[in-house]
PDB file of all heavy atoms in Angstrom:
ATOM      1  N   GLU A 145    -203.708 -51.075-161.688  1.00 97.00           N
ATOM      2  CA  GLU A 145    -202.965 -52.307-161.982  1.00 97.00           C
ATOM      3  C   GLU A 145    -203.730 -53.529-161.492  1.00 97.00           C
ATOM      4  O   GLU A 145    -203.784 -54.559-162.174  1.00 97.00           O
ATOM      5  CB  GLU A 145    -201.580 -52.252-161.328  1.00 97.00           C
ATOM      6  CG  GLU A 145    -200.630 -51.270-161.982  1.00 97.00           C
ATOM      7  CD  GLU A 145    -199.253 -51.266-161.333  1.00 97.00           C
ATOM      8  OE1 GLU A 145    -198.951 -52.229-160.584  1.00 97.00           O
ATOM      9  OE2 GLU A 145    -198.493 -50.315-161.575  1.00 97.00           O
ATOM     10  N   SER A 146    -204.310 -53.422-160.303  1.00 97.00           N
ATOM     11  CA  SER A 146    -205.082 -54.528-159.749  1.00 97.00           C
ATOM     12  C   SER A 146    -206.305 -54.829-160.614  1.00 97.00           C
ATOM     13  O   SER A 146    -206.632 -56.004-160.864  1.00 97.00           O
ATOM     14  CB  SER A 146    -205.520 -54.194-158.320  1.00 97.00           C
ATOM     15  OG  SER A 146    -206.312 -55.218-157.769  1.00 97.00           O
ATOM     16  N   LEU A 147    -206.964 -53.791-161.104  1.00 97.00           N
ATOM     17  CA  LEU A 147    -208.130 -53.980-161.953  1.00 97.00           C
ATOM     18  C   LEU A 147    -207.745 -54.628-163.277  1.00 97.00           C
ATOM     19  O   LEU A 147    -208.413 -55.555-163.749  1.00 97.00           O
ATOM     20  CB  LEU A 147    -208.816 -52.641-162.193  1.00 97.00           C
ATOM     21  CG  LEU A 147    -210.068 -52.659-163.088  1.00 97.00           C
ATOM     22  CD1 LEU A 147    -211.125 -53.597-162.519  1.00 97.00           C
ATOM     23  CD2 LEU A 147    -210.619 -51.252-163.266  1.00 97.00           C
ATOM     24  N   ALA A 148    -206.652 -54.148-163.884  1.00 97.00           N
ATOM     25  CA  ALA A 148    -206.189 -54.733-165.146  1.00 97.00           C
ATOM     26  C   ALA A 148    -205.864 -56.209-164.965  1.00 97.00           C
ATOM     27  O   ALA A 148    -206.192 -57.051-165.811  1.00 97.00           O
ATOM     28  CB  ALA A 148    -204.963 -53.974-165.650  1.00 97.00           C
ATOM     29  N   ARG A 149    -205.225 -56.533-163.836  1.00 96.00           N
ATOM     30  CA  ARG A 149    -204.854 -57.924-163.565  1.00 96.00           C
ATOM     31  C   ARG A 149    -206.092 -58.809-163.422  1.00 96.00           C
ATOM     32  O   ARG A 149    -206.154 -59.920-163.959  1.00 96.00           O
ATOM     33  CB  ARG A 149    -204.001 -58.002-162.300  1.00 96.00           C
ATOM     34  CG  ARG A 149    -203.475 -59.394-161.995  1.00 96.00           C
ATOM     35  CD  ARG A 149    -202.582 -59.389-160.755  1.00 96.00           C
ATOM     36  NE  ARG A 149    -201.459 -58.471-160.916  1.00 96.00           N
ATOM     37  CZ  ARG A 149    -201.332 -57.325-160.257  1.00 96.00           C
ATOM     38  NH1 ARG A 149    -202.245 -56.966-159.354  1.00 96.00           N
ATOM     39  NH2 ARG A 149    -200.293 -56.543-160.479  1.00 96.00           N
ATOM     40  N   GLU A 150    -207.103 -58.292-162.726  1.00 96.00           N
ATOM     41  CA  GLU A 150    -208.317 -59.088-162.507  1.00 96.00           C
ATOM     42  C   GLU A 150    -209.090 -59.275-163.814  1.00 96.00           C
ATOM     43  O   GLU A 150    -209.628 -60.364-164.077  1.00 96.00           O
ATOM     44  CB  GLU A 150    -209.198 -58.420-161.457  1.00 96.00           C
ATOM     45  CG  GLU A 150    -210.400 -59.253-161.045  1.00 96.00           C
ATOM     46  CD  GLU A 150    -210.029 -60.591-160.438  1.00 96.00           C
ATOM     47  OE1 GLU A 150    -208.909 -60.716-159.877  1.00 96.00           O
ATOM     48  OE2 GLU A 150    -210.848 -61.526-160.532  1.00 96.00           O
ATOM     49  N   ILE A 151    -209.138 -58.262-164.646  1.00 96.00           N
ATOM     50  CA  ILE A 151    -209.793 -58.400-165.956  1.00 96.00           C
ATOM     51  C   ILE A 151    -209.058 -59.443-166.782  1.00 96.00           C
ATOM     52  O   ILE A 151    -209.674 -60.289-167.443  1.00 96.00           O
ATOM     53  CB  ILE A 151    -209.835 -57.047-166.696  1.00 96.00           C
ATOM     54  CG1 ILE A 151    -210.702 -56.042-165.929  1.00 96.00           C
ATOM     55  CG2 ILE A 151    -210.371 -57.223-168.114  1.00 96.00           C
ATOM     56  CD1 ILE A 151    -210.595 -54.627-166.449  1.00 96.00           C
ATOM     57  N   ARG A 152    -207.738 -59.410-166.730  1.00 94.00           N
ATOM     58  CA  ARG A 152    -206.945 -60.399-167.471  1.00 94.00           C
ATOM     59  C   ARG A 152    -207.222 -61.809-166.987  1.00 94.00           C
ATOM     60  O   ARG A 152    -207.406 -62.743-167.786  1.00 94.00           O
ATOM     61  CB  ARG A 152    -205.459 -60.059-167.336  1.00 94.00           C
ATOM     62  CG  ARG A 152    -204.531 -60.904-168.203  1.00 94.00           C
ATOM     63  CD  ARG A 152    -203.982 -62.111-167.466  1.00 94.00           C
ATOM     64  NE  ARG A 152    -203.239 -61.731-166.278  1.00 94.00           N
ATOM     65  CZ  ARG A 152    -202.840 -62.611-165.378  1.00 94.00           C
ATOM     66  NH1 ARG A 152    -203.131 -63.891-165.504  1.00 94.00           N
ATOM     67  NH2 ARG A 152    -202.166 -62.211-164.296  1.00 94.00           N
ATOM     68  N   LYS A 153    -207.266 -62.008-165.687  1.00 93.00           N
ATOM     69  CA  LYS A 153    -207.517 -63.344-165.139  1.00 93.00           C
ATOM     70  C   LYS A 153    -208.863 -63.885-165.584  1.00 93.00           C
ATOM     71  O   LYS A 153    -209.017 -65.076-165.843  1.00 93.00           O
ATOM     72  CB  LYS A 153    -207.459 -63.311-163.611  1.00 93.00           C
ATOM     73  CG  LYS A 153    -206.060 -63.156-163.028  1.00 93.00           C
ATOM     74  CD  LYS A 153    -206.126 -63.131-161.504  1.00 93.00           C
ATOM     75  CE  LYS A 153    -204.751 -62.992-160.878  1.00 93.00           C
ATOM     76  NZ  LYS A 153    -204.830 -62.927-159.389  1.00 93.00           N
ATOM     77  N   ARG A 154    -209.848 -62.989-165.675  1.00 94.00           N
ATOM     78  CA  ARG A 154    -211.201 -63.436-166.008  1.00 94.00           C
ATOM     79  C   ARG A 154    -211.407 -63.626-167.499  1.00 94.00           C
ATOM     80  O   ARG A 154    -212.276 -64.405-167.901  1.00 94.00           O
ATOM     81  CB  ARG A 154    -212.233 -62.435-165.467  1.00 94.00           C
ATOM     82  CG  ARG A 154    -212.236 -62.331-163.944  1.00 94.00           C
ATOM     83  CD  ARG A 154    -213.434 -61.565-163.455  1.00 94.00           C
ATOM     84  NE  ARG A 154    -213.397 -61.349-162.009  1.00 94.00           N
ATOM     85  CZ  ARG A 154    -214.476 -61.158-161.266  1.00 94.00           C
ATOM     86  NH1 ARG A 154    -215.680 -61.168-161.820  1.00 94.00           N
ATOM     87  NH2 ARG A 154    -214.368 -60.951-159.961  1.00 94.00           N
ATOM     88  N   THR A 155    -210.646 -62.921-168.320  1.00 93.00           N
ATOM     89  CA  THR A 155    -210.863 -63.003-169.771  1.00 93.00           C
ATOM     90  C   THR A 155    -209.794 -63.817-170.494  1.00 93.00           C
ATOM     91  O   THR A 155    -210.000 -64.185-171.653  1.00 93.00           O
ATOM     92  CB  THR A 155    -210.922 -61.596-170.391  1.00 93.00           C
ATOM     93  OG1 THR A 155    -209.686 -60.912-170.149  1.00 93.00           O
ATOM     94  CG2 THR A 155    -212.074 -60.794-169.806  1.00 93.00           C
ATOM     95  N   LYS A 156    -208.673 -64.069-169.852  1.00 93.00           N
ATOM     96  CA  LYS A 156    -207.641 -64.924-170.439  1.00 93.00           C
ATOM     97  C   LYS A 156    -207.202 -65.930-169.379  1.00 93.00           C
ATOM     98  O   LYS A 156    -206.071 -65.889-168.879  1.00 93.00           O
ATOM     99  CB  LYS A 156    -206.437 -64.094-170.905  1.00 93.00           C
ATOM    100  CG  LYS A 156    -206.636 -63.435-172.256  1.00 93.00           C
ATOM    101  CD  LYS A 156    -206.511 -64.442-173.380  1.00 93.00           C
ATOM    102  CE  LYS A 156    -206.736 -63.764-174.739  1.00 93.00           C
ATOM    103  NZ  LYS A 156    -208.153 -63.497-175.027  1.00 93.00           N
ATOM    104  N   PRO A 157    -208.096 -66.857-168.995  1.00 94.00           N
ATOM    105  CA  PRO A 157    -207.716 -67.862-167.992  1.00 94.00           C
ATOM    106  C   PRO A 157    -206.539 -68.691-168.482  1.00 94.00           C
ATOM    107  O   PRO A 157    -206.322 -68.847-169.692  1.00 94.00           O
ATOM    108  CB  PRO A 157    -208.980 -68.707-167.840  1.00 94.00           C
ATOM    109  CG  PRO A 157    -209.784 -68.451-169.073  1.00 94.00           C
ATOM    110  CD  PRO A 157    -209.459 -67.058-169.494  1.00 94.00           C
ATOM    111  N   MET A 158    -205.762 -69.205-167.536  1.00 95.00           N
ATOM    112  CA  MET A 158    -204.485 -69.823-167.879  1.00 95.00           C
ATOM    113  C   MET A 158    -204.235 -71.088-167.061  1.00 95.00           C
ATOM    114  O   MET A 158    -204.591 -71.162-165.890  1.00 95.00           O
ATOM    115  CB  MET A 158    -203.354 -68.809-167.615  1.00 95.00           C
ATOM    116  CG  MET A 158    -201.975 -69.262-168.051  1.00 95.00           C
ATOM    117  SD  MET A 158    -200.678 -68.085-167.514  1.00 95.00           S
ATOM    118  CE  MET A 158    -201.340 -66.530-168.111  1.00 95.00           C
ATOM    119  N   VAL A 159    -203.632 -72.067-167.720  1.00 98.00           N
ATOM    120  CA  VAL A 159    -203.170 -73.298-167.080  1.00 98.00           C
ATOM    121  C   VAL A 159    -201.664 -73.390-167.303  1.00 98.00           C
ATOM    122  O   VAL A 159    -201.166 -73.046-168.382  1.00 98.00           O
ATOM    123  CB  VAL A 159    -203.877 -74.527-167.681  1.00 98.00           C
ATOM    124  CG1 VAL A 159    -203.198 -75.823-167.271  1.00 98.00           C
ATOM    125  CG2 VAL A 159    -205.343 -74.543-167.270  1.00 98.00           C
ATOM    126  N   ILE A 160    -200.932 -73.822-166.295  1.00 98.00           N
ATOM    127  CA  ILE A 160    -199.486 -74.012-166.415  1.00 98.00           C
ATOM    128  C   ILE A 160    -199.190 -75.474-166.727  1.00 98.00           C
ATOM    129  O   ILE A 160    -199.517 -76.375-165.948  1.00 98.00           O
ATOM    130  CB  ILE A 160    -198.739 -73.618-165.126  1.00 98.00           C
ATOM    131  CG1 ILE A 160    -199.077 -72.175-164.722  1.00 98.00           C
ATOM    132  CG2 ILE A 160    -197.228 -73.800-165.308  1.00 98.00           C
ATOM    133  CD1 ILE A 160    -198.653 -71.128-165.719  1.00 98.00           C
ATOM    134  N   ALA A 161    -198.594 -75.721-167.894  1.00 98.00           N
ATOM    135  CA  ALA A 161    -198.113 -77.060-168.233  1.00 98.00           C
ATOM    136  C   ALA A 161    -196.667 -77.151-167.760  1.00 98.00           C
ATOM    137  O   ALA A 161    -195.758 -76.562-168.360  1.00 98.00           O
ATOM    138  CB  ALA A 161    -198.200 -77.304-169.732  1.00 98.00           C
ATOM    139  N   ALA A 162    -196.475 -77.853-166.648  1.00 98.00           N
ATOM    140  CA  ALA A 162    -195.134 -77.980-166.057  1.00 98.00           C
ATOM    141  C   ALA A 162    -194.361 -79.027-166.850  1.00 98.00           C
ATOM    142  O   ALA A 162    -194.389 -80.216-166.538  1.00 98.00           O
ATOM    143  CB  ALA A 162    -195.252 -78.371-164.584  1.00 98.00           C
ATOM    144  N   ASN A 163    -193.677 -78.570-167.897  1.00 97.00           N
ATOM    145  CA  ASN A 163    -193.046 -79.485-168.850  1.00 97.00           C
ATOM    146  C   ASN A 163    -191.693 -80.013-168.342  1.00 97.00           C
ATOM    147  O   ASN A 163    -191.095 -79.446-167.438  1.00 97.00           O
ATOM    148  CB  ASN A 163    -192.861 -78.774-170.192  1.00 97.00           C
ATOM    149  CG  ASN A 163    -192.635 -79.744-171.333  1.00 97.00           C
ATOM    150  OD1 ASN A 163    -193.100 -80.886-171.294  1.00 97.00           O
ATOM    151  ND2 ASN A 163    -191.917 -79.301-172.354  1.00 97.00           N
ATOM    152  N   LYS A 164    -191.276 -81.096-168.961  1.00 96.00           N
ATOM    153  CA  LYS A 164    -190.014 -81.788-168.643  1.00 96.00           C
ATOM    154  C   LYS A 164    -190.040 -82.381-167.235  1.00 96.00           C
ATOM    155  O   LYS A 164    -189.008 -82.473-166.558  1.00 96.00           O
ATOM    156  CB  LYS A 164    -188.806 -80.858-168.840  1.00 96.00           C
ATOM    157  CG  LYS A 164    -188.747 -80.244-170.250  1.00 96.00           C
ATOM    158  CD  LYS A 164    -187.494 -79.430-170.477  1.00 96.00           C
ATOM    159  CE  LYS A 164    -187.515 -78.778-171.855  1.00 96.00           C
ATOM    160  NZ  LYS A 164    -186.314 -77.972-172.132  1.00 96.00           N
ATOM    161  N   MET A 165    -191.235 -82.796-166.820  1.00 96.00           N
ATOM    162  CA  MET A 165    -191.395 -83.344-165.483  1.00 96.00           C
ATOM    163  C   MET A 165    -190.856 -84.769-165.353  1.00 96.00           C
ATOM    164  O   MET A 165    -190.946 -85.371-164.285  1.00 96.00           O
ATOM    165  CB  MET A 165    -192.874 -83.309-165.099  1.00 96.00           C
ATOM    166  CG  MET A 165    -193.330 -81.943-164.607  1.00 96.00           C
ATOM    167  SD  MET A 165    -192.684 -81.567-162.959  1.00 96.00           S
ATOM    168  CE  MET A 165    -193.611 -82.748-161.993  1.00 96.00           C
ATOM    169  N   ASP A 166    -190.320 -85.307-166.427  1.00 93.00           N
ATOM    170  CA  ASP A 166    -189.670 -86.610-166.336  1.00 93.00           C
ATOM    171  C   ASP A 166    -188.251 -86.479-165.774  1.00 93.00           C
ATOM    172  O   ASP A 166    -187.546 -87.483-165.633  1.00 93.00           O
ATOM    173  CB  ASP A 166    -189.640 -87.302-167.698  1.00 93.00           C
ATOM    174  CG  ASP A 166    -189.216 -86.377-168.843  1.00 93.00           C
ATOM    175  OD1 ASP A 166    -189.160 -85.152-168.630  1.00 93.00           O
ATOM    176  OD2 ASP A 166    -188.958 -86.887-169.938  1.00 93.00           O
ATOM    177  N   LYS A 167    -187.857 -85.242-165.427  1.00 95.00           N
ATOM    178  CA  LYS A 167    -186.534 -85.018-164.839  1.00 95.00           C
ATOM    179  C   LYS A 167    -186.672 -84.763-163.337  1.00 95.00           C
ATOM    180  O   LYS A 167    -187.549 -83.991-162.913  1.00 95.00           O
ATOM    181  CB  LYS A 167    -185.845 -83.827-165.511  1.00 95.00           C
ATOM    182  CG  LYS A 167    -185.619 -84.027-167.012  1.00 95.00           C
ATOM    183  CD  LYS A 167    -184.871 -82.862-167.630  1.00 95.00           C
ATOM    184  CE  LYS A 167    -184.618 -83.113-169.116  1.00 95.00           C
ATOM    185  NZ  LYS A 167    -183.822 -82.026-169.730  1.00 95.00           N
ATOM    186  N   PRO A 168    -185.834 -85.369-162.505  1.00 95.00           N
ATOM    187  CA  PRO A 168    -185.954 -85.222-161.049  1.00 95.00           C
ATOM    188  C   PRO A 168    -185.941 -83.770-160.574  1.00 95.00           C
ATOM    189  O   PRO A 168    -186.703 -83.403-159.668  1.00 95.00           O
ATOM    190  CB  PRO A 168    -184.748 -85.997-160.513  1.00 95.00           C
ATOM    191  CG  PRO A 168    -184.472 -87.025-161.566  1.00 95.00           C
ATOM    192  CD  PRO A 168    -184.792 -86.345-162.871  1.00 95.00           C
ATOM    193  N   VAL A 169    -185.093 -82.930-161.177  1.00 96.00           N
ATOM    194  CA  VAL A 169    -185.027 -81.537-160.730  1.00 96.00           C
ATOM    195  C   VAL A 169    -186.339 -80.822-160.997  1.00 96.00           C
ATOM    196  O   VAL A 169    -186.772 -79.955-160.218  1.00 96.00           O
ATOM    197  CB  VAL A 169    -183.843 -80.797-161.412  1.00 96.00           C
ATOM    198  CG1 VAL A 169    -184.031 -80.699-162.920  1.00 96.00           C
ATOM    199  CG2 VAL A 169    -183.659 -79.411-160.807  1.00 96.00           C
ATOM    200  N   ALA A 170    -187.021 -81.189-162.087  1.00 97.00           N
ATOM    201  CA  ALA A 170    -188.323 -80.590-162.390  1.00 97.00           C
ATOM    202  C   ALA A 170    -189.351 -81.002-161.342  1.00 97.00           C
ATOM    203  O   ALA A 170    -190.193 -80.197-160.932  1.00 97.00           O
ATOM    204  CB  ALA A 170    -188.785 -81.006-163.787  1.00 97.00           C
ATOM    205  N   GLN A 171    -189.278 -82.241-160.910  1.00 97.00           N
ATOM    206  CA  GLN A 171    -190.215 -82.723-159.895  1.00 97.00           C
ATOM    207  C   GLN A 171    -190.004 -81.999-158.572  1.00 97.00           C
ATOM    208  O   GLN A 171    -190.971 -81.671-157.860  1.00 97.00           O
ATOM    209  CB  GLN A 171    -190.051 -84.231-159.740  1.00 97.00           C
ATOM    210  CG  GLN A 171    -190.425 -85.002-161.011  1.00 97.00           C
ATOM    211  CD  GLN A 171    -189.998 -86.457-160.980  1.00 97.00           C
ATOM    212  OE1 GLN A 171    -189.690 -86.999-159.917  1.00 97.00           O
ATOM    213  NE2 GLN A 171    -189.983 -87.105-162.143  1.00 97.00           N
ATOM    214  N   GLU A 172    -188.760 -81.718-158.252  1.00 97.00           N
ATOM    215  CA  GLU A 172    -188.467 -80.960-157.032  1.00 97.00           C
ATOM    216  C   GLU A 172    -189.038 -79.541-157.131  1.00 97.00           C
ATOM    217  O   GLU A 172    -189.635 -79.028-156.177  1.00 97.00           O
ATOM    218  CB  GLU A 172    -186.952 -80.913-156.799  1.00 97.00           C
ATOM    219  CG  GLU A 172    -186.328 -82.262-156.473  1.00 97.00           C
ATOM    220  CD  GLU A 172    -184.802 -82.197-156.441  1.00 97.00           C
ATOM    221  OE1 GLU A 172    -184.263 -81.060-156.472  1.00 97.00           O
ATOM    222  OE2 GLU A 172    -184.167 -83.261-156.390  1.00 97.00           O
ATOM    223  N   ASN A 173    -188.822 -78.914-158.281  1.00 97.00           N
ATOM    224  CA  ASN A 173    -189.354 -77.567-158.485  1.00 97.00           C
ATOM    225  C   ASN A 173    -190.880 -77.559-158.408  1.00 97.00           C
ATOM    226  O   ASN A 173    -191.491 -76.635-157.856  1.00 97.00           O
ATOM    227  CB  ASN A 173    -188.901 -77.011-159.838  1.00 97.00           C
ATOM    228  CG  ASN A 173    -187.437 -76.603-159.842  1.00 97.00           C
ATOM    229  OD1 ASN A 173    -186.877 -76.244-158.815  1.00 97.00           O
ATOM    230  ND2 ASN A 173    -186.809 -76.660-161.009  1.00 97.00           N
ATOM    231  N   TYR A 174    -191.485 -78.587-158.962  1.00 97.00           N
ATOM    232  CA  TYR A 174    -192.945 -78.681-158.978  1.00 97.00           C
ATOM    233  C   TYR A 174    -193.505 -78.733-157.566  1.00 97.00           C
ATOM    234  O   TYR A 174    -194.470 -78.016-157.243  1.00 97.00           O
ATOM    235  CB  TYR A 174    -193.366 -79.922-159.772  1.00 97.00           C
ATOM    236  CG  TYR A 174    -194.858 -80.081-159.944  1.00 97.00           C
ATOM    237  CD1 TYR A 174    -195.523 -79.455-160.999  1.00 97.00           C
ATOM    238  CD2 TYR A 174    -195.602 -80.867-159.061  1.00 97.00           C
ATOM    239  CE1 TYR A 174    -196.890 -79.608-161.159  1.00 97.00           C
ATOM    240  CE2 TYR A 174    -196.977 -81.014-159.216  1.00 97.00           C
ATOM    241  CZ  TYR A 174    -197.610 -80.392-160.267  1.00 97.00           C
ATOM    242  OH  TYR A 174    -198.966 -80.541-160.428  1.00 97.00           O
ATOM    243  N   GLU A 175    -192.917 -79.558-156.734  1.00 97.00           N
ATOM    244  CA  GLU A 175    -193.397 -79.687-155.355  1.00 97.00           C
ATOM    245  C   GLU A 175    -193.297 -78.360-154.615  1.00 97.00           C
ATOM    246  O   GLU A 175    -194.194 -77.972-153.863  1.00 97.00           O
ATOM    247  CB  GLU A 175    -192.580 -80.767-154.618  1.00 97.00           C
ATOM    248  CG  GLU A 175    -192.799 -82.173-155.131  1.00 97.00           C
ATOM    249  CD  GLU A 175    -194.238 -82.636-154.988  1.00 97.00           C
ATOM    250  OE1 GLU A 175    -194.877 -82.285-153.974  1.00 97.00           O
ATOM    251  OE2 GLU A 175    -194.734 -83.334-155.895  1.00 97.00           O
ATOM    252  N   GLU A 176    -192.202 -77.642-154.862  1.00 97.00           N
ATOM    253  CA  GLU A 176    -191.984 -76.371-154.173  1.00 97.00           C
ATOM    254  C   GLU A 176    -192.947 -75.288-154.660  1.00 97.00           C
ATOM    255  O   GLU A 176    -193.539 -74.558-153.860  1.00 97.00           O
ATOM    256  CB  GLU A 176    -190.533 -75.922-154.385  1.00 97.00           C
ATOM    257  CG  GLU A 176    -190.172 -74.651-153.635  1.00 97.00           C
ATOM    258  CD  GLU A 176    -188.708 -74.260-153.823  1.00 97.00           C
ATOM    259  OE1 GLU A 176    -187.897 -75.146-154.179  1.00 97.00           O
ATOM    260  OE2 GLU A 176    -188.394 -73.075-153.627  1.00 97.00           O
ATOM    261  N   ILE A 177    -193.112 -75.197-155.969  1.00 97.00           N
ATOM    262  CA  ILE A 177    -193.914 -74.112-156.540  1.00 97.00           C
ATOM    263  C   ILE A 177    -195.405 -74.318-156.288  1.00 97.00           C
ATOM    264  O   ILE A 177    -196.133 -73.366-155.972  1.00 97.00           O
ATOM    265  CB  ILE A 177    -193.620 -73.968-158.049  1.00 97.00           C
ATOM    266  CG1 ILE A 177    -192.166 -73.493-158.243  1.00 97.00           C
ATOM    267  CG2 ILE A 177    -194.592 -72.991-158.707  1.00 97.00           C
ATOM    268  CD1 ILE A 177    -191.687 -73.540-159.672  1.00 97.00           C
ATOM    269  N   THR A 178    -195.879 -75.549-156.419  1.00 97.00           N
ATOM    270  CA  THR A 178    -197.307 -75.785-156.202  1.00 97.00           C
ATOM    271  C   THR A 178    -197.694 -75.641-154.727  1.00 97.00           C
ATOM    272  O   THR A 178    -198.875 -75.513-154.407  1.00 97.00           O
ATOM    273  CB  THR A 178    -197.723 -77.175-156.711  1.00 97.00           C
ATOM    274  OG1 THR A 178    -196.889 -78.186-156.117  1.00 97.00           O
ATOM    275  CG2 THR A 178    -197.598 -77.251-158.226  1.00 97.00           C
TER     276      THR A 178
END
């Protein structure tokens, strides 16, 4: 499982678009998660 995960990270890199950040609750979640 660890090997599959690492292959995935290297071959399908990913960025998180934290959408709806114009809402205060989203901004709170963003601070906590990041």
Side-chain angles (χ1 to χ4, degrees):
E145 289 182 16
S146 178
L147 179 58
R149 185 177 302 110
E150 187 60 26
I151 296 170
R152 187 266 301 170
K153 287 180 179 178
R154 296 192 185 205
T155 60
K156 279 285 179 283
M158 186 187 309
V159 167
I160 305 297
N163 198 28
K164 305 185 183 180
M165 279 288 291
D166 45 348
K167 299 183 178 183
V169 64
Q171 296 168 16
E172 293 172 11
N173 286 332
Y174 184 86
E175 293 299 323
E176 184 178 339
I177 294 170
T178 54

